[in-house]
Amino acid sequence: MKLNKTEERALALAGLVQSCYLVAGVARTGMASQDNLTGCLESIFVTNPNETLDVYKDGHGVRKGLRLVTEILGELNISEHRETIHYVLGVLSLERRLRQTPKLMRSLGAGISAIQEHRHLNELSATDEDVISRLSRLYEDTAGTVQPRIRIQGQQKHLANTMNTSRIRALLLAAIRSAVLWSQLEGRRSQWLLGRGKLLSANSRVSKIIS
């Protein structure tokens, strides 16, 4: 089903929020739902979609994100999701700075293509440890060099775990992918307040479409 522009924005926002929610979760608990993780990381490799739904496995990859958008914008459950919102704002700011650095954006695109080729050659899933490690290094070498860097808060015992830090960086890359899509769809932070009703209605319609 073809989505309108506002529905596409709602889907991109759901992808962004879900990725940042998982970043916060891994940092705090060392855990992340495999389905939610897959939905986020798979989106990184969909670089030439026919439509926005294709980026998120026909929308099924960001079911959690759609629910989170309802909680944050609809129920105004801000305090519970303070860390997630903080990372969302940080990623949107980072994406804007990346767009002003074409060389880094080209490096990012080339790196994603190389990892995708590696995946196909070795028949690896997006959540394979090797793939996550490669995505982590790509984030470090590109977006991670842009100042100010996104600072992650959480439990030290989890942040000291190499696989957790790799998952966090890979998820930040997924968040950037959704932030790029949000920008391409003319998404603006002001729409969270001024266009909140439209976004929530679109979010609800998308949720029904994929259910």
PDB file of all heavy atoms in Angstrom, residues 167-182:
ATOM      1  N   ARG A 167      27.340  -3.189  19.354  1.00  0.00           N
ATOM      2  CA  ARG A 167      25.902  -3.117  19.050  1.00  0.00           C
ATOM      3  C   ARG A 167      25.400  -1.678  19.148  1.00  0.00           C
ATOM      4  O   ARG A 167      24.591  -1.242  18.327  1.00  0.00           O
ATOM      5  CB  ARG A 167      25.112  -4.017  20.017  1.00  0.00           C
ATOM      6  CG  ARG A 167      25.202  -5.484  19.677  1.00  0.00           C
ATOM      7  CD  ARG A 167      24.147  -6.279  20.398  1.00  0.00           C
ATOM      8  NE  ARG A 167      24.382  -6.306  21.845  1.00  0.00           N
ATOM      9  CZ  ARG A 167      23.533  -6.832  22.728  1.00  0.00           C
ATOM     10  NH1 ARG A 167      22.382  -7.352  22.317  1.00  0.00           N
ATOM     11  NH2 ARG A 167      23.824  -6.840  24.011  1.00  0.00           N
ATOM     12  N   ILE A 168      25.884  -0.942  20.136  1.00  0.00           N
ATOM     13  CA  ILE A 168      25.467   0.452  20.305  1.00  0.00           C
ATOM     14  C   ILE A 168      25.866   1.274  19.087  1.00  0.00           C
ATOM     15  O   ILE A 168      25.063   2.045  18.542  1.00  0.00           O
ATOM     16  CB  ILE A 168      26.065   1.042  21.600  1.00  0.00           C
ATOM     17  CG1 ILE A 168      25.331   0.473  22.815  1.00  0.00           C
ATOM     18  CG2 ILE A 168      25.989   2.574  21.590  1.00  0.00           C
ATOM     19  CD1 ILE A 168      25.994   0.788  24.145  1.00  0.00           C
ATOM     20  N   ARG A 169      27.109   1.126  18.635  1.00  0.00           N
ATOM     21  CA  ARG A 169      27.560   1.898  17.469  1.00  0.00           C
ATOM     22  C   ARG A 169      26.806   1.492  16.207  1.00  0.00           C
ATOM     23  O   ARG A 169      26.459   2.336  15.378  1.00  0.00           O
ATOM     24  CB  ARG A 169      29.065   1.712  17.276  1.00  0.00           C
ATOM     25  CG  ARG A 169      29.911   2.340  18.379  1.00  0.00           C
ATOM     26  CD  ARG A 169      31.386   2.316  18.019  1.00  0.00           C
ATOM     27  NE  ARG A 169      32.194   2.673  19.168  1.00  0.00           N
ATOM     28  CZ  ARG A 169      32.991   1.830  19.834  1.00  0.00           C
ATOM     29  NH1 ARG A 169      33.081   0.559  19.434  1.00  0.00           N
ATOM     30  NH2 ARG A 169      33.687   2.242  20.869  1.00  0.00           N
ATOM     31  N   ALA A 170      26.550   0.189  16.046  1.00  0.00           N
ATOM     32  CA  ALA A 170      25.787  -0.277  14.881  1.00  0.00           C
ATOM     33  C   ALA A 170      24.370   0.292  14.918  1.00  0.00           C
ATOM     34  O   ALA A 170      23.817   0.695  13.881  1.00  0.00           O
ATOM     35  CB  ALA A 170      25.752  -1.804  14.859  1.00  0.00           C
ATOM     36  N   LEU A 171      23.784   0.359  16.101  1.00  0.00           N
ATOM     37  CA  LEU A 171      22.440   0.915  16.244  1.00  0.00           C
ATOM     38  C   LEU A 171      22.433   2.418  15.983  1.00  0.00           C
ATOM     39  O   LEU A 171      21.457   2.950  15.436  1.00  0.00           O
ATOM     40  CB  LEU A 171      21.891   0.612  17.642  1.00  0.00           C
ATOM     41  CG  LEU A 171      21.391  -0.827  17.843  1.00  0.00           C
ATOM     42  CD1 LEU A 171      21.229  -1.137  19.322  1.00  0.00           C
ATOM     43  CD2 LEU A 171      20.066  -1.044  17.106  1.00  0.00           C
ATOM     44  N   LEU A 172      23.486   3.095  16.357  1.00  0.00           N
ATOM     45  CA  LEU A 172      23.583   4.523  16.043  1.00  0.00           C
ATOM     46  C   LEU A 172      23.648   4.728  14.531  1.00  0.00           C
ATOM     47  O   LEU A 172      23.095   5.695  13.997  1.00  0.00           O
ATOM     48  CB  LEU A 172      24.809   5.143  16.722  1.00  0.00           C
ATOM     49  CG  LEU A 172      24.693   5.339  18.234  1.00  0.00           C
ATOM     50  CD1 LEU A 172      26.029   5.787  18.813  1.00  0.00           C
ATOM     51  CD2 LEU A 172      23.601   6.358  18.572  1.00  0.00           C
ATOM     52  N   LEU A 173      24.294   3.784  13.840  1.00  0.00           N
ATOM     53  CA  LEU A 173      24.339   3.847  12.377  1.00  0.00           C
ATOM     54  C   LEU A 173      22.928   3.651  11.807  1.00  0.00           C
ATOM     55  O   LEU A 173      22.524   4.337  10.853  1.00  0.00           O
ATOM     56  CB  LEU A 173      25.289   2.764  11.855  1.00  0.00           C
ATOM     57  CG  LEU A 173      26.058   3.025  10.562  1.00  0.00           C
ATOM     58  CD1 LEU A 173      26.829   4.338  10.625  1.00  0.00           C
ATOM     59  CD2 LEU A 173      27.015   1.863  10.294  1.00  0.00           C
ATOM     60  N   ALA A 174      22.177   2.731  12.404  1.00  0.00           N
ATOM     61  CA  ALA A 174      20.783   2.522  11.978  1.00  0.00           C
ATOM     62  C   ALA A 174      19.951   3.773  12.256  1.00  0.00           C
ATOM     63  O   ALA A 174      19.093   4.148  11.451  1.00  0.00           O
ATOM     64  CB  ALA A 174      20.189   1.319  12.713  1.00  0.00           C
ATOM     65  N   ALA A 175      20.219   4.408  13.381  1.00  0.00           N
ATOM     66  CA  ALA A 175      19.496   5.641  13.722  1.00  0.00           C
ATOM     67  C   ALA A 175      19.800   6.736  12.701  1.00  0.00           C
ATOM     68  O   ALA A 175      18.903   7.483  12.288  1.00  0.00           O
ATOM     69  CB  ALA A 175      19.883   6.099  15.134  1.00  0.00           C
ATOM     70  N   ILE A 176      21.059   6.820  12.287  1.00  0.00           N
ATOM     71  CA  ILE A 176      21.449   7.810  11.270  1.00  0.00           C
ATOM     72  C   ILE A 176      20.728   7.518   9.956  1.00  0.00           C
ATOM     73  O   ILE A 176      20.271   8.438   9.272  1.00  0.00           O
ATOM     74  CB  ILE A 176      22.976   7.816  11.065  1.00  0.00           C
ATOM     75  CG1 ILE A 176      23.673   8.399  12.296  1.00  0.00           C
ATOM     76  CG2 ILE A 176      23.363   8.608   9.815  1.00  0.00           C
ATOM     77  CD1 ILE A 176      25.182   8.204  12.301  1.00  0.00           C
ATOM     78  N   ARG A 177      20.617   6.231   9.611  1.00  0.00           N
ATOM     79  CA  ARG A 177      19.922   5.872   8.363  1.00  0.00           C
ATOM     80  C   ARG A 177      18.475   6.401   8.395  1.00  0.00           C
ATOM     81  O   ARG A 177      17.959   6.960   7.419  1.00  0.00           O
ATOM     82  CB  ARG A 177      19.924   4.347   8.185  1.00  0.00           C
ATOM     83  CG  ARG A 177      19.631   3.859   6.757  1.00  0.00           C
ATOM     84  CD  ARG A 177      18.167   3.806   6.445  1.00  0.00           C
ATOM     85  NE  ARG A 177      17.903   3.537   5.048  1.00  0.00           N
ATOM     86  CZ  ARG A 177      17.670   4.447   4.132  1.00  0.00           C
ATOM     87  NH1 ARG A 177      17.701   5.735   4.439  1.00  0.00           N
ATOM     88  NH2 ARG A 177      17.391   4.112   2.888  1.00  0.00           N
ATOM     89  N   SER A 178      17.802   6.213   9.543  1.00  0.00           N
ATOM     90  CA  SER A 178      16.430   6.704   9.663  1.00  0.00           C
ATOM     91  C   SER A 178      16.385   8.230   9.693  1.00  0.00           C
ATOM     92  O   SER A 178      15.450   8.834   9.159  1.00  0.00           O
ATOM     93  CB  SER A 178      15.775   6.134  10.930  1.00  0.00           C
ATOM     94  OG  SER A 178      15.479   4.763  10.770  1.00  0.00           O
ATOM     95  N   ALA A 179      17.391   8.842  10.306  1.00  0.00           N
ATOM     96  CA  ALA A 179      17.453  10.310  10.350  1.00  0.00           C
ATOM     97  C   ALA A 179      17.641  10.880   8.947  1.00  0.00           C
ATOM     98  O   ALA A 179      17.066  11.922   8.606  1.00  0.00           O
ATOM     99  CB  ALA A 179      18.585  10.763  11.263  1.00  0.00           C
ATOM    100  N   VAL A 180      18.435  10.210   8.123  1.00  0.00           N
ATOM    101  CA  VAL A 180      18.625  10.630   6.731  1.00  0.00           C
ATOM    102  C   VAL A 180      17.287  10.553   5.997  1.00  0.00           C
ATOM    103  O   VAL A 180      16.901  11.480   5.264  1.00  0.00           O
ATOM    104  CB  VAL A 180      19.679   9.746   6.025  1.00  0.00           C
ATOM    105  CG1 VAL A 180      19.652   9.957   4.513  1.00  0.00           C
ATOM    106  CG2 VAL A 180      21.073  10.041   6.567  1.00  0.00           C
ATOM    107  N   LEU A 181      16.569   9.452   6.207  1.00  0.00           N
ATOM    108  CA  LEU A 181      15.263   9.286   5.560  1.00  0.00           C
ATOM    109  C   LEU A 181      14.281  10.354   6.051  1.00  0.00           C
ATOM    110  O   LEU A 181      13.547  10.945   5.254  1.00  0.00           O
ATOM    111  CB  LEU A 181      14.724   7.889   5.857  1.00  0.00           C
ATOM    112  CG  LEU A 181      13.432   7.470   5.161  1.00  0.00           C
ATOM    113  CD1 LEU A 181      13.548   7.583   3.657  1.00  0.00           C
ATOM    114  CD2 LEU A 181      13.055   6.045   5.566  1.00  0.00           C
ATOM    115  N   TRP A 182      14.274  10.622   7.343  1.00  0.00           N
ATOM    116  CA  TRP A 182      13.414  11.663   7.922  1.00  0.00           C
ATOM    117  C   TRP A 182      13.685  13.012   7.245  1.00  0.00           C
ATOM    118  O   TRP A 182      12.760  13.727   6.883  1.00  0.00           O
ATOM    119  CB  TRP A 182      13.679  11.721   9.422  1.00  0.00           C
ATOM    120  CG  TRP A 182      13.143  12.910  10.157  1.00  0.00           C
ATOM    121  CD1 TRP A 182      13.835  14.034  10.527  1.00  0.00           C
ATOM    122  CD2 TRP A 182      11.800  13.120  10.638  1.00  0.00           C
ATOM    123  NE1 TRP A 182      13.018  14.911  11.202  1.00  0.00           N
ATOM    124  CE2 TRP A 182      11.766  14.371  11.282  1.00  0.00           C
ATOM    125  CE3 TRP A 182      10.628  12.359  10.580  1.00  0.00           C
ATOM    126  CZ2 TRP A 182      10.608  14.895  11.876  1.00  0.00           C
ATOM    127  CZ3 TRP A 182       9.476  12.868  11.166  1.00  0.00           C
ATOM    128  CH2 TRP A 182       9.473  14.118  11.798  1.00  0.00           C
TER     129      TRP A 182
END
